[in-house]
Amino acid sequence: MAAVSARLPVFPWDKLEPYKKTAAAHPDGIVDLSVGTPVDPVPQLIQDALVAAADSPGYPTVWGTPALRDAITGWLRGRLGASAAGHRNVLPVVGSKELVAWLPTQLGLGAGDKVAYPRLAYPTYEVGARLCGAEAVVYDDPTELDPAGLKLLWLNSPSNPTGKVIAKDELVRIVAWARQHGILVFSDECYLELGWEAEPVSVLHDDVCGGSYEGLVAVHSLSKRSNLAGYRAAFIAGDADVLGELLEIRKHGGMMTPAPVQAATVAALGDDAHVEEQRARYAARREALRTALEAHGFRIEHSEASLYLWVTRDEPCWDTVAHLAALGILVAPGDFYGEAGAQYVRVAFTATDERVAAAVKRLA
């Protein structure tokens, strides 16, 4: 066990604990903008679907019910523009983080293989490479990578932490390059429905992939768009051969989405109204925090999508964390996401309206 854990970096969030204590000592309490966890209620129609499926004594299937596969493929065609999506192109997963962490292992990667991800990125991409013993490689432009030994290329648009969106023509160029070199592309698109100043596009869109999903898989989650982080509801979609292999492996591993969660996912994907309501909440919080941060002397970069503002005062990120903690506001240091984030912090706008208003008041 120690041999496996020794491969992994220090769990970053532990380093934030002293600053959390400082922020919590504020007379009006902490405003925690460090983790992008939903705080708003789970929409009632989703709760109702979960409760209606509560009497599920039998084992669920790893591939999911036909109703779930119908819901996912219908959403892929209608929302992502993936007109050729069918049942063989989808696979439910037990939350997207589990998939990201264990994907390289399930793909059979190991020593001598390379896994690439953005220079500023969700830390779990690196964790997945380390768990299987593969080499982790970062990039600014993936097409400038040496393709030798590169087995898995992670894209992330909209980006966590920066909120940057990869334009459609860039996706076309990257996909063509990856296919030319036989590199499997996994595109983390969990924030796709949260575009503010740009319209995110999926790698599965007909205009990007040409109607073929060969070598392409998109990762999607309902945690953010439907407030279902506690449900662990997510899925992957794309290359039928890749998903078929993963299905066989995951069947042996018992990686089953619980039956009530499958039913809740069907309800969530079949309703757009709750998504728009949640977007409106986030839009208001984003605007309030953005205005307050800029007035306080911060510069905001990228941040055209996702649930975060990527901000800087051109100082070491931990100095910024300490400054804001003294105001009772907790944020995530940019170096959690790579050395290139050393002068940035990530500010989530997932707190309640009341807590966001408190942060705005303190920044003033």
Side-chain angles (χ1 to χ4, degrees), residues 77-319:
R77 292 191 292 264
R79 180 64 184 83
L80 300 192
S83 64
H87 281 207
R88 292 184 63 241
N89 301 114
V90 302
L91 180 62
V93 295
V94 192
S96 58
K97 183 169 185 176
E98 166 264 306
L99 182 278
V100 173
W102 292 107
L103 177 66
T105 298
Q106 292 175 10
L107 290 174
L109 305 188
D113 297 324
K114 296 177 185 176
V115 175
Y117 51 87
R119 189 172 301 280
L120 280 167
Y122 184 46
T124 312
Y125 304 135
E126 178 186 1
V127 167
R130 290 194 182 204
L131 280 171
C132 74
E135 179 185 353
V137 179
V138 299
Y139 65 79
D140 295 308
D141 178 347
T143 67
E144 295 176 357
L145 291 168
D146 179 356
L150 181 54
K151 299 296 179 64
L152 174 61
L153 172 63
W154 279 107
L155 303 180
N156 180 208
S157 177
S159 163
N160 174 16
T162 69
K164 185 177 181 180
V165 171
I166 302 175
K168 184 191 287 186
D169 59 347
E170 279 293 283
L171 284 174
V172 171
R173 183 177 68 85
I174 293 167
V175 166
W177 177 85
R179 284 174 164 170
Q180 177 186 351
H181 295 286
I183 299 166
L184 178 61
V185 174
F186 263 69
S187 180
D188 183 346
E189 302 173 354
C190 289
Y191 296 92
L192 184 133
E193 295 203 88
L194 294 162
W196 311 110
E197 296 162 10
E199 186 60 39
V201 179
S202 173
V203 292
L204 302 185
H205 191 288
D206 291 352
D207 292 348
V208 174
C209 68
S212 166
Y213 308 134
E214 180 184 358
L216 303 176
V217 179
V219 181
H220 284 271
S221 166
L222 280 73
S223 294
K224 308 301 194 286
R225 50 96 73 187
S226 299
N227 299 337
L228 296 187
Y231 283 45
R232 310 316 299 135
F235 58 89
I236 54 178
D239 190 316
D241 291 338
V242 174
L243 267 58
E245 188 68 15
L246 289 173
L247 173 60
E248 292 304 311
I249 294 164
R250 294 172 69 85
K251 281 170 20 180
H252 281 289
M255 293 178 171
M256 301 173 282
T257 302
V261 174
Q262 293 190 32
T265 301
V266 171
L269 291 175
D271 179 73
D272 292 331
H274 78 275
V275 180
E276 290 306 313
E277 289 175 11
Q278 191 59 45
R279 274 182 56 87
R281 292 188 190 105
Y282 285 142
R285 294 167 186 165
R286 176 180 184 270
E287 183 59 29
L289 283 170
R290 182 182 190 119
T291 301
L293 287 163
E294 288 179 331
H296 196 77
F298 284 97
R299 184 175 74 256
I300 296 172
E301 295 189 2
H302 304 303
S303 306
E304 59 255 35
S306 82
L307 289 177
Y308 313 106
L309 295 170
W310 186 240
V311 309
T312 182
R313 295 201 307 177
D314 297 312
E315 66 183 4
C317 61
W318 287 100
D319 291 354

Side-chain angles (χ1 to χ4, degrees), residues 40-61:
D40 300 302
V42 173
Q44 192 60 50
L45 84 161
I46 300 176
Q47 294 189 47
D48 291 345
L50 185 84
V51 171
D55 186 15
S56 298
Y59 290 111
T61 65

